[in-house]
Amino acid sequence: MEGTLIKMEESRGGLKTPPPISRYSLITGRQAAPKPLLASLPTSKYAYKPPELSVDHLVIGGGVVGLAIASALSRRWPEKTTYLVERHPHIGQETSSRNSEVIHAGLYYPKDSFKTKLCVKGREMMYEYCKENQVPFKMTGKLVVGGKGSRAYLEKLDHHCKSLGTLSPPTKILSGDEARELEPDLGPEIEWALLSERTGIVSSHDLMASLEREIDENQSSEVVCSTSVVRIDPHMPDDVFPTSSSHGKRGRDQSQEGWVVQTVTSNDGLETDGQSDSLLARVVINSTGLNANLALNSLLKQMSDGEEAVAMYYSKGNYASYKGEGVKNVKRLLYPVPDMKGDAHSHTSLGTHLTLDLNGNVKFGPDTQWLSAPDPTSSIDFWEEKLVANEERLEEMHRDITRYLPNVRLEGLSPDYAGIRPKLIPPGGDKSFMDFQFLFHKSRELKLQKVWQNLYPSHLEGGGGLMISLLGIESPGLTSSLAIGETVKNWIARDVWGDEYHKNPPKNKGALNEEIGGGGADDWA
């Protein structure tokens, strides 16, 4: 799969992005939609600071997707500098470590969406990577189960899966009796099921640790934790800072274009006394998950007039562990037919499903609990206090579970953990499917660019540093992570370094970094 591109309508960015959604326009039943976060980086606290060193690739965010991207870049260009900064003391402390750890087969989403294309490709890449790198995994298989009225939906899902081409997940329609032969604990109300044979589970922690090792083992790459990005500015050749005593043999070439990124590093990952480090990055990958809108919102004043802030919504999922009767025979993951509130791909939830860990323990979840920001520009971490699984959700979860596993007992359920998923649209009102979003921006002529720019700015193709922002990377983000890394790598290969670079790569490591601070990136890291 090396060297291939994910093609989406022959564009560089993918499907056309819907316009921003007003935070006041949607309702959920009788209640107002959850309040989104509209915050930005704390730019006003930090004056512009000329860059002291430069890097080729700067990945912001040390979740599984950021790690996969940085690993792919460091393997493709071992002589280039690739740095990943993570604001927490350790990698993967947000969404990446608080999910079901499922390797999804790619059943549910539109055929031409990023979610489907990257999931089915990422699924096979994940299994291959785990085998080669001794990352624990298991191909468990999965049953999507439903009652009397579920046959039409499951047949449509089966047909959809078979239409996905060479990486189509193998699926099979089963009667209720056939499903109970495989999973005897299923209740008599289950009349139909869809068997997915390529679904599995993986240790996300071991996966992320493996990717981190790959990055750090490359001399030109490094993962830097407890480091927060606090300001981003475009940098142009004419802005070369006066402290530079030399512009090198090539003068002010495109190696001077990019993004000036200011970071703050501390032992606990918190902001310190306003002192920041400043570096020039030719390519910035904004893979900050729950905070992916902050960098974009901080650049609004420099973009086209009338651009609105990017809203981020937060959906909490509670997980429960289970000990007791009613699941002793379970060998596969069990998912109820999704909760459908619109078209065939607009799931509000995949239901409170049963998953297994690698030790065979049973857990249920996630459910769906929407959070509201206390204030649109409040602390970006307002959701941290919500990371405890709610015991009061257990009764509702139990009602959902017993629709397909009737012998599960409420007293056997215990709150386990909770995760937060980044959402670009709130529930209710809007029935459209929201895909993964990849937004492209160039450091040159920001005034000509819009926030929701998911096509490469071809009118600026001749120069400027590139920023790729990844938004709404929720499920199946873990499964898709390696495919996302490869796809972003190939976009950068084509749109930044170009074919000439691959034909005649520089002989000296870091040759494109010699203008600003030379090899100073190691000192900063």
Side-chain angles (χ1 to χ4, degrees):
M1 296 184 184
E2 180 71 18
T4 61
L5 286 171
I6 294 290
K7 294 184 179 180
M8 306 293 291
E9 294 185 351
E10 301 302 321
S11 75
R12 288 174 168 88
L15 299 178
K16 196 170 184 179
T17 307
I21 298 173
S22 168
R23 60 187 182 279
Y24 306 112
S25 64
L26 300 181
I27 60 172
T28 307
R30 297 179 181 177
Q31 296 181 338
K35 296 177 182 177
L37 189 69
L38 301 169
S40 64
L41 297 176
T43 301
S44 60
K45 295 182 181 180
Y46 298 88
Y48 176 82
K49 188 175 183 180
E52 301 150 317
L53 51 95
S54 72
V55 296
D56 293 304
H57 312 121
L58 180 68
V59 180
I60 309 172
V64 66
V65 172
L67 289 163
I69 293 170
S71 175
L73 295 177
S74 65
R75 284 185 281 108
R76 175 69 174 264
W77 294 288
E79 74 290 338
K80 284 187 172 295
T81 47
T82 298
Y83 284 82
L84 181 149
V85 294
E86 165 55 48
R87 68 193 184 102
H88 292 294
H90 305 286
I91 60 170
Q93 288 191 245
E94 294 183 8
T95 306
S96 295
S97 60
R98 294 175 172 274
N99 56 61
S100 300
E101 297 191 303
V102 172
I103 302 176
H104 290 282
L107 308 182
Y108 296 107
Y109 304 108
K111 180 177 180 179
D112 291 325
S113 67
F114 272 125
K115 282 191 174 182
T116 290
K117 288 182 176 290
L118 292 168
C119 180
V120 298
K121 181 177 180 181
R123 177 195 73 214
E124 298 307 311
M125 293 179 70
M126 183 72 70
Y127 285 131
E128 183 178 348
Y129 182 91
C130 290
K131 291 175 184 176
E132 292 178 352
N133 294 278
Q134 292 75 55
V135 174
F137 79 99
K138 184 177 182 180
M139 195 181 302
T140 59
K142 162 181 165 178
L143 283 177
V144 183
V145 299
K148 184 175 182 180
S150 65
R151 178 175 180 176
Y153 169 79
L154 292 173
E155 287 181 342
K156 187 173 183 179
L157 191 61
D158 182 51
H159 177 75
H160 166 72
C161 292
K162 288 176 169 53
S163 73
L164 297 181
T166 56
L167 294 179
S168 294
T171 56
K172 181 181 179 182
I173 293 288
L174 304 177
S175 67
D177 289 338
E178 289 173 325
R180 277 181 289 276
E181 288 180 10
L182 298 178
E183 297 292 344
D185 292 317
L186 288 172
E189 294 82 6
I190 298 303
E191 295 196 10
W192 299 99
L194 180 74
L195 172 64
S196 168
E197 299 174 351
R198 296 293 287 177
T199 300
I201 51 177
V202 63
S203 169
S204 60
H205 296 81
D206 287 290
L207 172 64
M208 289 188 286
S210 178
L211 292 169
E212 184 181 24
R213 283 194 300 272
E214 285 186 346
I215 298 164
D216 284 337
E217 286 172 359
N218 187 312
Q219 278 191 321
S220 298
S221 305
E222 191 158 350
V223 174
V224 185
C225 291
S226 297
T227 299
S228 300
V229 171
V230 295
R231 178 169 178 148
I232 299 178
D233 295 279
H235 187 272
M236 299 296 293
D238 291 337
D239 298 331
V240 174
F241 48 90
T243 56
S244 292
S245 58
S246 170
H247 299 305
K249 295 180 180 180
R250 288 172 284 113
R252 296 177 180 179
D253 62 15
Q254 287 188 27
S255 66
Q256 289 293 293
E257 293 196 60
W259 303 88
V260 179
V261 181
Q262 292 187 55
T263 64
V264 171
T265 301
S266 64
N267 290 332
D268 56 9
L270 301 175
E271 295 179 21
T272 54
D273 56 1
Q275 296 298 315
S276 65
D277 297 308
S278 183
L279 63 145
L280 173 63
R282 180 70 182 278
V283 178
V284 171
I285 307 298
N286 172 18
S287 181
T288 51
L290 297 172
N291 300 318
N293 59 334
L294 302 187
L296 293 170
N297 289 344
S298 70
L299 295 170
L300 281 177
K301 292 182 180 179
Q302 302 181 61
M303 292 187 180
S304 299
D305 294 337
E307 290 297 285
E308 296 183 10
V310 177
M312 188 69 73
Y313 296 86
Y314 298 90
S315 175
K316 176 181 177 180
N318 295 281
Y319 291 84
S321 60
Y322 184 71
K323 298 291 184 182
E325 60 182 280
V327 296
K328 293 181 180 178
N329 299 303
V330 171
K331 296 181 176 62
R332 296 166 184 81
L333 311 188
L334 300 177
Y335 280 54
V337 167
D339 177 15
M340 308 299 295
K341 296 291 179 64
D343 61 40
H345 303 290
S346 60
H347 323 108
T348 59
S349 168
L350 292 182
T352 303
H353 47 265
L354 179 151
T355 56
L356 303 167
D357 66 19
L358 290 165
N359 295 316
N361 298 313
V362 169
K363 59 184 175 182
F364 290 99
D367 62 357
T368 301
Q369 182 181 1
W370 289 86
L371 306 180
S372 283
D375 180 82
T377 57
S378 62
S379 167
I380 61 174
D381 295 329
F382 76 91
W383 44 263
E384 278 192 336
E385 63 184 28
K386 308 291 187 180
L387 284 178
V388 178
N390 293 350
E391 187 169 5
E392 59 267 26
R393 305 284 294 189
L394 293 182
E395 288 191 16
E396 183 177 347
M397 294 176 74
H398 180 253
R399 285 195 297 271
D400 291 340
I401 294 164
T402 52
R403 291 172 182 168
Y404 60 98
L405 291 170
N407 294 322
V408 167
R409 297 290 178 255
L410 176 60
E411 58 269 22
L413 292 169
S414 300
D416 196 352
Y417 63 96
I420 311 294
R421 288 160 282 178
K423 299 280 190 177
L424 295 175
I425 55 175
D430 189 292
K431 298 179 181 180
S432 65
F433 162 76
M434 178 57 75
D435 203 357
F436 292 158
Q437 297 296 319
F438 298 87
L439 305 185
F440 293 73
H441 294 90
K442 298 298 289 285
S443 59
R444 180 181 291 186
E445 299 289 354
L446 264 181
K447 197 66 179 174
L448 300 178
Q449 300 177 55
K450 297 182 178 297
V451 174
W452 290 97
Q453 191 166 266
N454 68 340
L455 299 178
Y456 187 83
S458 57
H459 60 292
L460 302 173
E461 194 145 5
L466 177 64
M467 179 188 293
I468 303 177
S469 296
L470 289 69
L471 276 73
I473 311 296
E474 48 167 331
S475 182
L478 173 63
T479 307
S480 305
S481 58
L482 298 177
I484 291 174
E486 181 183 280
T487 299
V488 170
K489 173 199 70 178
N490 288 330
W491 281 332
I492 292 170
R494 178 189 56 198
D495 297 329
V496 177
W497 305 123
D499 291 338
E500 282 304 309
Y501 173 82
H502 302 297
K503 294 176 183 176
N504 300 292
K507 296 181 180 179
N508 298 323
K509 184 175 71 175
L512 294 183
N513 289 325
E514 64 188 13
E515 301 282 347
I516 298 177
D522 288 331
D523 296 331
W524 165 75

